[in-house]
């Protein structure tokens, strides 16, 4: 099994699917010769030509709309949105159009498109280039939302997304593009709605999406040293959400910490925590702890920015508290 | 110039298509007044020559996108009364199984990608459909219908730019009926709408939207050019809506005069204009035209009855079609 | 105390604040002579002229941007967004700009603007004119979110919003514009972050936002007949959220149902329920029940549309179940 | 034409202002190369005549909005080295207490409403500032700076339409440096940028963005007109960025040639062009110009040292300024 970067994994997924299905094309700003600012799509234009690797003007609502129309008429576009923060520009085309067309047409039309974008702070990019906005699209019925946590997931989930007949938004962690993971030689797809149990444990369940999976894994190592045996779960997709795997784990451990890089308020941690609290109510020995990004615009100054995102140390600390019965928030 | 047989039939077809739209709208309005239709709807009456003139230049595999004022586009592209009335009444036999309603009617089989309740919301979709045609090396053309009010949406300029850069087979059809809701076009559009298209390098034309033959001639020309890869094009069609902005907009003298309305209805009605032409050319007599009208009216009445008695969707449909399962 | 409609209440609030402060102006589509499609702003242009009651072209992102710039330079614009669904069009100007400018400028600039819009289904307006999108803006730090539940709240909260130095989004229920309530003769303001206890009770807490407050009140009447004594709370603003009033109530009743007209998934019910579950953990006798709108685009057909929104009957039914120990969801 | 004393001083000021920007950017780039600056930044070098020519036509109460490539606008509108370097390094004494960084520098006191990391994102803000001036019956003018790439954002057409309808005192200043990121302007802009503005009824001008005197003359003219209520206006300024799209964009031959870069630097440098003019007019000698450069360089070096040693914000600032408390 070769070890490749997340960037290479994405590139491979796109190339493989473009080879397999001539309806797939890539569209976005500087995706062709420049290969995007993150160099994720480098080389694709050489193989597939500018017909299928399409550089656009800086018109996010416009090319998002084009992709919707192309998808409705038989194409399977992959839209490259350079920064997750630009989601705010395409919300109408994504949420009022793409998400609703299948339903509004009574099942006659459909929109098989993938919107690839990213999330993640601590890159010193300040408030308009650092947001993790997956909770917003997850709130809109008709959109699926995938959150790969390593090169392995990035490839498998993206291939599944491209073959899905519905609009899928996939968030890559922009700080992880150079991180390596082992990826099978053979073709593989990762199903949506199946969480991964990355480490089994019996004392507490740590649930981490995307960038926060590694944070949870590191927290689990810290906890091990204290004799606390944590189970680590990566939901992989938040719509659909694999509730069963999460609930089964919490029923076993009786405790959970939910960690996510989106803002905490009205965010992903609220959805996961409230489902656990409701549906595993009688199994819980302690309140479910939510750890999202701070509810502040992401500041530029490194000394401030680093405070806004959950860290392994703080996850471990919270887990320790609920395991020991010392509560974090409960009044 | 004496019309040949082909044109005779074609002109009668234009007349029938426009009449169908007018009759459909009259019935829809009545359903609203009788409180038999849920919600509101926007009448196309007065603008029939636009949809019919353009759609008659298209073939079934060509695509259109439509607007909140979309019944005319839908009929003109081939829809039937039954499924349309069913949709307006939220019945399961409607074009969208009752889930879309007036503002979202789509008729995939006839190439209508759908009405849209977001003003300007379908401009990207239409342009994407044209991109698809180009990528597939098909010679299908897409027509994007929208109102004068929609020219205020930035999306239009974004997609016209890309259509022009990539020479996409699309025609932007601006139905300038003088108003967006309760505001005149002069109050909301600075400069010139046609010049805006031209500034993006798009050839743009103005045409009398009440003259179905003129509309059809221009559209046929441009569609043929677009098929050969010479798109995009832009048409501004001068027209007028007879009813209020929607069926509930009854007292409208504060934004437009009765006189103005009457002037359009009496002197610039697209159906009358074509009718007079047909009579003067000896293609059809007044009686024949009346007969067309009453036949269509009967068909419409039957369809209304059918729709009123048709079934609502089963409640289990409520969470069907959120996602397409594979 | 006169009884006035919610529509009149909004109109009065705007008029009073425009009289009080010449920096306040109103901007949006057909707000002047037409007084909006809901006739909410009728008469204002006659008093304040077209200089301060400004009709715009159909350019939601554009006039939202204009309002941000005017607010940064001393005006206090009230933006009228005709349907809440159009929020998707203004998200960039609202969330990337208005919400972040005060923070990004280190406190130097600020954006005192009010975005008035609406929510609510069952008006047979289908998927693009029926959404309740308040959870989306509540997720974005830097925005306050008010949700008036009657004419009384509509007036008091809107006046507070206009005087706030930050961007505030206020959602009126479009089905409630003709509903009447008693409103004081004298001027009054309702503070943000203070929930209202509409009915005291000891058995279960029903928390209902905006349109769902009445649903909860009706549910409480139904429950009374069964001898179940429900407490009804209206949070009034969801950012800031009056956590204390909610938690104190649940500590007393030990049970809660959270009802909101936004989609349930990743929505407002998740935030409120997860805060209760976390912070009143040891007081709960049953899982907190969430009742949001169904996670489907709003269908046109009345027989389907009516299923998507919580009703008093279903709220009462859920409340009965948790009071009797018969669970709704817990596995 | 012999320049009078007033012009002499003014020309020297233009020279100093442009030099300040160039020197600032050279230092910022060095901070990046030395890994002393967090994140990335976009250099304005080569485009100095645009910001300086325009801002010298403004007074302090006039407003500007700026872009991701915003250091030049900020300096030209009156900012000082210390607070700018502090901001770039995330220090609490920066213009935004370190919270904004390079892409969000705002300088309220001098009328700079802020840089923006959303391309085109400040077009609404600028137009709103002009609306405010009109509502207040003030004669302040707002200038909206943006790049050629930003002309692809629909927002621009929405706000130009309103500015034209309402005759707002705003000047749209399009810095056409031939590229948006790694793509040439021809590839992303169909038709003509100037014609687009004109189609909205806005008077539009093209000017050599390397000739600070020409820029300033045109800007002064238009600013005066705008003050009198004759706005809006549009200027396209032809210019060039010397560095990559951002400081990290080092290998760029795949999208533009070294030859092209050298041609601009050697033959169309705005500081050299003004310098030669000053020498030929006898306003300043080569030595005097060198002296200006070294004085400014010393000031910049001091400011860099100051900023490097300045304090970071206290961690308690992290949740300050989310909301303004009353
Ligand atoms: C984005 C958006 N803004 C506002 C509306 C409300 N609205 C519906 S139709 C309409 C006027 C549209 O005018 P025009 O495009 O000229 O079409 P017409 O109604 O005249 O056919 C408005 C403002 C909407 N549906 N979508
Ligand atoms: C809405 C948005 N889309 C894309 C980007 C990424 N981006 C930053 S600068 C830039 C190019 C801008 O080109 P131009 O407007 O010509 O300004 P220049 O960099 O040439 O000064 C792009 C695409 C962005 N910041 N915002
Ligand atoms: Mg119109
Ligand atoms: Mg440029």
């Amino acid at each position: 099994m070769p070890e490749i970067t997340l960037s290479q994994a994405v590139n491979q997924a796109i190339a493989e699917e473009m080879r397999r299905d001539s309806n797939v094309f890539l569209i976005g700003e500087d995706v062709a010769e420049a290969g995007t600012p993150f160099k994720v799509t480098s080389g694709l234009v050489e193989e597939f030509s500018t017909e299928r690797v399409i550089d656009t003007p800086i018109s996010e609502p416009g090319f998002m709309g084009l992709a919707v129309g192309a998808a409705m008429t038989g194409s399977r576009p992959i839209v490259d949105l350079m920064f997750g923060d630009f989601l705010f520009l395409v919300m109408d085309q994504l949420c009022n159009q793409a998400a609703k067309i299948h339903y509004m047409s009574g099942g006659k039309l459909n929109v098989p498109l993938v919107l690839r974008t990213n999330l993640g702070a601590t890159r010193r990019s300040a408030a308009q280039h650092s947001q993790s906005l997956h909770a917003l699209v997850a709130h809109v019925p008709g959109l699926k939302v995938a959150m790969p946590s390593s090169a392995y997931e990035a490839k498998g989930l993206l291939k599944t997304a491209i073959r899905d007949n519905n609009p899928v938004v996939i968030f890559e962690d922009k700080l992880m593009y150079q991180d390596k993971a082992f990826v099978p030689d053979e073709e593989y797809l990762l199903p949506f709605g199946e969480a991964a149990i990355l480490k089994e444990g019996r004392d507490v369940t740590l649930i981490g999406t995307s960038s926060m999976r590694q944070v949870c894994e590191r927290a689990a190592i810290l906890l091990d040293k204290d004799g606390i045996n944590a189970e680590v779960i990566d939901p992989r997709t938040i719509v659909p959400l694999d509730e069963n795997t999460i609930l089964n784990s919490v029923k076993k451990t009786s405790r959970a910490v939910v960690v996510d890089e989106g803002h905490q308020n009205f965010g992903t941690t609220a959805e996961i925590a409230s489902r656990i609290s409701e549906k595993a109510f009688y199994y819980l020995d302690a309140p479910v702890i939510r750890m999202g990004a701070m509810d502040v615009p992401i500041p530029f100054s490194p000394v401030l920015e680093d405070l806004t995102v959950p860290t392994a140390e703080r996850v471990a600390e919270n887990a320790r508290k609920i395991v020991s019965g010392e509560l974090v928030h409960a009044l | 110039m004496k019309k040949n047989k082909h044109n005779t039939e074609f002109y009668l077809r234009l007349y029938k298509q426009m009449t169908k739209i007018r009759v459909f709208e009259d019935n829809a309005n009545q359903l609203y007044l009788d409180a038999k239709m849920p919600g509101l709807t926007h009448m196309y009456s007065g603008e029939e020559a636009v949809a019919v003139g353009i759609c008659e230049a298209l073939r079934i595999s060509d695509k259109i996108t439509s607007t909140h004022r979309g019944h005319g586009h839908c009929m003109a592209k081939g829809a039937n009364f039954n499924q349309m009335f069913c949709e307006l009444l939220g019945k399961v036999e409607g074009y969208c199984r009752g889930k879309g309603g007036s503002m979202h009617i789509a008729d995939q089989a006839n190439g209508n990608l759908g009405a849209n309740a977001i003003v300007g919301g379908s401009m990207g979709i239409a342009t994407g459909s044209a991109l698809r045609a180009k990528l597939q090396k098909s010679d299908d053309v897409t027509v994007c219908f929208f109102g004068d009010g929609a020219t205020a949406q930035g999306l239009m300029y974004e997609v016209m730019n890309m259509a022009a850069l990539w020479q996409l087979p699309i025609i932007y059809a601006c139905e300038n009926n003088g108003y967006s809701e309760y505001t005149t076009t002069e109050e909301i559009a600075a400069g010139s709408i046609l010049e805006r298209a031209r500034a993006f390098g798009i050839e743009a034309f103005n045409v009398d939207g009440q003259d179905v033959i003129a509309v059809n001639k221009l559209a046929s020309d441009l569609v043929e050019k677009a098929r050969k890869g010479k798109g995009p094009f832009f048409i501004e069609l001068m027209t007028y809506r007879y009813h209020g902005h929607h069926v509930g907009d009854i007292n409208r003298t504060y934004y437009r005069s009765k006189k103005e309305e009457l002037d359009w209805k009496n002197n610039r009605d697209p159906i009358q204009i074509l009718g007079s032409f047909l009579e003067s050319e000896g293609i059809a007599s007044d009686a024949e035209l009346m007969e067309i009208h009453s036949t269509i009216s009967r068909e419409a009445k039957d369809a209304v009855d059918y729709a009123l008695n048709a079934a609502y969707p089963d409640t289990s449909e409520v969470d069907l079609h959120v996602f397409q399962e594979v």
Side-chain angles (χ1 to χ4, degrees), chain A, chain B:
Chain A
M1 258 203 330
E3 213 184 357
I4 61 172
T5 64
L6 194 148
S7 170
Q8 289 168 323
V10 171
N11 192 294
Q12 286 182 7
I14 298 174
E16 286 174 19
E17 294 305 305
M18 285 184 74
R19 275 174 218 135
R20 200 184 59 85
D21 183 348
S22 64
N23 293 309
V24 179
F25 70 87
L26 182 66
I27 187 166
E29 291 155 21
D30 280 322
V31 292
E33 288 77 12
T36 81
F38 298 103
K39 302 294 166 204
V40 175
T41 61
S42 297
L44 294 175
V45 71
E46 285 75 11
E47 179 171 353
F48 300 103
S49 92
T50 50
E51 282 221 339
R52 293 177 67 196
V53 181
I54 305 176
D55 270 350
T56 64
I58 312 174
S59 303
E60 287 83 2
F63 65 75
M64 184 71 215
L66 257 71
V68 177
M72 288 167 70
T73 49
S75 286
R76 304 184 82 86
I78 305 170
V79 178
D80 185 292
L81 191 68
M82 200 185 290
F83 282 86
D85 312 67
F86 307 160
L87 271 173
F88 285 130
L89 284 160
V90 304
M91 288 300 265
D92 176 60
Q93 292 299 309
L94 180 66
C95 303
N96 273 335
Q97 311 295 345
K100 296 180 170 50
I101 283 169
H102 186 61
Y103 191 88
M104 293 192 305
S105 69
K108 281 192 187 164
L109 294 161
N110 70 315
V111 187
L113 75 75
V114 178
L115 177 57
R116 274 189 53 243
T117 190
N118 51 39
L119 58 69
T122 70
R123 207 169 153 269
R124 318 317 179 201
S125 306
Q128 294 173 339
H129 277 61
S130 306
Q131 295 168 87
S132 302
L133 297 175
H134 44 286
L136 294 185
V137 285
H139 183 52
V140 178
L143 300 177
K144 297 188 179 178
V145 184
M147 306 193 62
S149 61
S150 85
Y152 174 71
E153 280 82 5
K155 183 167 181 184
L157 292 172
L158 180 52
K159 283 173 67 91
T160 303
I162 295 170
R163 297 190 196 182
D164 199 292
N165 284 335
N166 302 284
V168 178
V169 189
I170 184 160
F171 288 87
E172 296 155 10
D173 177 6
K174 60 176 109 65
L175 275 104
M176 234 189 255
Y177 279 126
Q178 294 317 312
D179 290 3
K180 290 191 169 185
F182 288 101
V183 159
D185 278 314
E186 335 51 74
E187 166 160 273
Y188 70 101
L189 284 89
L190 292 177
F192 282 9
E194 283 191 23
I197 302 177
L198 296 159
K199 172 179 176 303
E200 305 218 4
R202 57 168 191 272
D203 299 328
V204 60
T205 303
L206 308 181
I207 299 153
T209 58
S210 177
S211 52
M212 293 297 110
R213 161 198 159 171
Q214 269 81 358
V215 164
C216 287
E217 288 179 317
R218 286 200 300 276
I221 295 172
L222 296 176
L223 289 168
D224 262 338
K225 295 186 187 144
D226 299 334
I228 297 172
N229 189 213
E231 180 144 315
V232 178
I233 293 181
D234 168 13
R236 286 189 177 161
T237 55
I238 57 170
V239 180
L241 180 66
D242 180 358
E243 198 174 87
N244 283 342
T245 299
I246 293 172
L247 292 178
N248 287 338
S249 171
V250 177
K251 286 179 188 171
K252 180 175 64 173
T253 62
S254 306
R255 296 172 185 86
V257 182
V258 187
V259 194
D260 174 78
E261 202 176 336
H263 295 299
Q264 179 164 312
N265 218 5
F266 293 81
T268 301
T269 62
E271 180 62 31
I272 298 178
S274 62
R275 290 213 207 176
I276 297 171
S277 297
E278 183 176 350
K279 299 184 183 179
F281 182 77
Y282 290 102
Y283 298 85
L284 285 174
D285 284 346
V288 180
I289 301 300
R290 294 165 56 191
M291 297 180 68
M294 284 183 77
D295 291 304
V296 304
I298 308 297
F300 167 67
S301 189
V303 294
L304 301 181
E305 187 181 26
D306 287 341
L307 301 172
T308 65
V309 176
T311 59
E313 290 67 31
R314 291 198 289 119
V315 172
E317 191 183 315
N318 280 336
R320 257 182 237 115
K321 284 187 188 165
I322 52 173
V323 169
S324 68
E326 181 196 339
L327 289 177
V328 181
H329 280 300
L331 304 175
Chain B
M1 186 183 68
K2 200 84 196 114
K3 300 294 148 202
N4 60 27
K5 184 73 172 67
H6 173 77
N7 271 353
T8 300
E9 270 169 28
F10 181 63
Y11 289 156
L12 282 172
R13 179 172 163 82
L14 293 177
Y15 190 85
K16 284 179 196 161
Q17 287 293 91
M18 291 200 293
T19 305
K20 264 170 119 172
I21 295 173
R22 179 73 53 89
V23 167
F24 181 88
E25 295 298 47
D26 288 344
N27 280 278
N29 193 39
Q30 196 55 49
L31 284 167
Y32 168 77
L33 294 174
D34 296 345
K36 286 180 176 160
M37 188 182 63
L40 292 173
T41 184
H42 307 81
M43 304 274 93
Y44 199 70
S45 316
E47 309 191 8
E48 295 88 348
V50 172
V52 171
I54 290 178
C55 290
E56 285 300 321
L58 301 177
R59 59 191 186 203
I60 204 169
S61 61
D62 291 328
K63 307 287 185 293
I64 65 163
T65 61
S66 166
T67 68
H68 59 286
R69 195 177 302 289
H71 306 162
H73 313 131
C74 197
M75 299 265 10
K77 195 73 176 54
N80 64 58
F81 279 158
N82 271 15
Q83 282 174 277
M84 282 196 66
F85 281 119
C86 279
E87 192 57 38
L88 256 63
L89 299 182
K91 303 300 179 78
V92 69
E93 285 181 66
Y95 273 109
C96 309
R97 304 185 72 79
K99 281 180 166 164
S102 164
M103 288 205 291
H104 302 291
I105 293 194
D107 177 9
Q108 155 104 328
N110 283 307
N112 177 356
L113 298 177
N116 212 306
I118 301 297
V119 166
S122 64
M123 289 170 165
I125 292 170
T127 312
S129 162
L131 173 62
R132 165 71 180 172
K134 173 144 187 168
L135 290 176
Q136 287 302 100
K137 309 204 183 344
S138 126
D139 65 353
D140 286 344
V141 170
T142 303
V143 174
C144 176
F145 288 102
F146 57 94
D148 49 295
T151 63
Q153 287 279 332
L155 183 65
M156 170 165 138
Y157 304 93
E158 298 194 0
V159 301
M160 286 203 311
N161 186 35
M162 287 184 273
L165 285 168
W166 305 337
Q167 296 188 283
L168 299 184
I170 182 164
I171 297 172
Y172 297 99
C174 177
E175 305 179 311
N176 189 341
N177 60 9
Y179 296 87
S180 43
E181 284 195 355
Y182 318 111
T183 305
T184 63
T185 310
E186 298 81 66
E187 289 170 88
I188 58 98
S192 146
I193 291 175
L194 281 190
E195 288 305 322
R196 295 186 196 175
R198 289 183 185 135
F200 286 88
I202 297 178
E203 254 189 279
F205 305 85
N206 185 291
V207 67
D208 177 358
Q210 307 309 87
D211 180 348
V212 69
I213 296 178
V215 171
N216 181 256
K217 196 170 159 345
L218 176 63
S220 302
D221 250 34
L222 299 183
V223 167
E224 284 324 304
K225 284 192 186 152
R227 282 204 206 296
K228 300 203 180 96
K230 304 212 185 307
F233 297 102
F234 190 103
I235 317 179
E236 183 182 16
L237 303 108
M238 311 312 285
T239 185
Y240 199 75
R241 60 164 160 79
Y242 288 172
H243 293 259
H245 169 60
H246 56 62
V247 285
D249 171 26
I250 307 291
N251 301 317
R252 43 186 185 267
T253 45
Y254 76 92
Y255 71 87
R256 69 182 201 187
S257 68
K258 284 241 163 70
K259 185 166 162 303
E260 178 186 296
E261 294 190 359
L262 280 176
D263 183 43
W264 281 86
K265 286 184 194 174
N266 294 337
N267 307 319
R268 301 192 59 185
D269 181 72
I271 300 180
Q272 270 179 31
I273 290 173
L274 181 63
S276 309
F277 174 78
L278 294 181
E279 289 182 44
S280 73
E281 296 287 302
I283 294 173
S285 68
D286 188 42
E288 282 166 329
L289 297 180
M290 301 261 286
E291 177 56 27
I292 289 176
H293 193 277
S294 37
T295 309
I296 291 174
S297 294
R298 271 192 309 275
E299 287 166 14
K301 199 192 156 304
D302 291 348
V304 167
D305 288 343
Y306 184 87
L308 284 170
N309 293 309
Y312 284 108
D314 189 81
T315 54
S316 66
E317 291 232 359
V318 68
D319 57 3
L320 212 72
H321 304 131
V322 179
F323 293 111
Q324 183 177 73
E325 310 301 332
V326 239

